[in-house]
Amino acid sequence: MTIKVVRGNPTPEELAAALAVVRARAAAATAEPSGAEPPRDAWSDPSRIAAHRVPQPGQASWTRTYWPA
């Protein structure tokens, strides 16, 4: 990897700090979490569907034919 300073005249300390940040970000991007499963998509989460109680059939079930907000 080559890094080129396009503008300005950074001091050696500023250049070292910038390179440390770039290298840390690159190392974090390539490191995979060990043993962790990928995050689940909210659309495929079954608890999203079953979060609300479904109206049950009965004598007055015709009055509950809408989905409560």
Side-chain angles (χ1 to χ4, degrees), residues 8 15 20 31 40-41 43 46 56-57 61 67 69:
L15 192 56
R40 293 184 73 174
D41 192 315
W43 287 101
Q56 298 296 317
S61 63
W67 286 99

Side-chain angles (χ1 to χ4, degrees), residues 3-66:
I3 296 178
K4 180 180 175 182
V5 177
V6 178
R7 288 189 200 159
N9 190 11
T11 64
E13 293 83 15
E14 292 172 336
L15 192 56
L19 288 175
V21 170
V22 170
R23 291 186 77 187
R25 294 282 308 256
T30 59
E32 294 183 20
S34 60
E37 63 183 50
R40 293 184 73 174
D41 192 315
W43 287 101
S44 65
D45 188 11
S47 65
R48 178 187 64 85
I49 298 168
H52 305 288
R53 188 170 176 224
V54 178
Q56 298 296 317
Q59 284 184 327
S61 63
W62 64 271
T63 62
R64 297 185 310 254
T65 57
Y66 66 94

